[in-house]
Amino acid sequence: MGKKGKIMDFFSAMGRNLMLPIATLAAAGLIMGLTAALTKTQVQEALPFLTNGGVLYVLNLLKTITSKVFGLIP
């Protein structure tokens, strides 16, 4: 294997390693948007089961976790 093959292997491995954080950010963004929408007053009035203590706790927990993920970006 020549020098070119080693360089390509390095960049290939680096690309694979960068895919996980990017995929995580995309998933966290979707979850954060969904939980933000479901905790709005207008949505909770339309769907009263969202005001249940357990459901509201899980939504707020997911919202907090995803906001921490985005807070750690810098």
Side-chain angles (χ1 to χ4, degrees), residues 55-69:
V55 174
L56 199 55
Y57 176 76
V58 170
L59 289 175
N60 285 325
L61 181 66
L62 287 173
K63 191 174 175 182
T64 303
I65 291 170
T66 55
S67 67
K68 293 292 182 189
V69 168

Side-chain angles (χ1 to χ4, degrees), residues 2-3 7 10 14-15 18 20 25-26 28 32 42-44 47 49-50 52 57 60 63 65 72 74:
K3 186 174 184 176
I7 293 172
F10 169 76
M14 188 170 71
L18 290 175
L20 179 64
L25 285 177
M32 189 163 95
Q42 297 88 351
V43 176
Q44 289 181 347
L47 303 169
F49 73 90
L50 292 174
N52 182 344
Y57 176 76
N60 285 325
K63 191 174 175 182
I65 291 170
L72 294 173

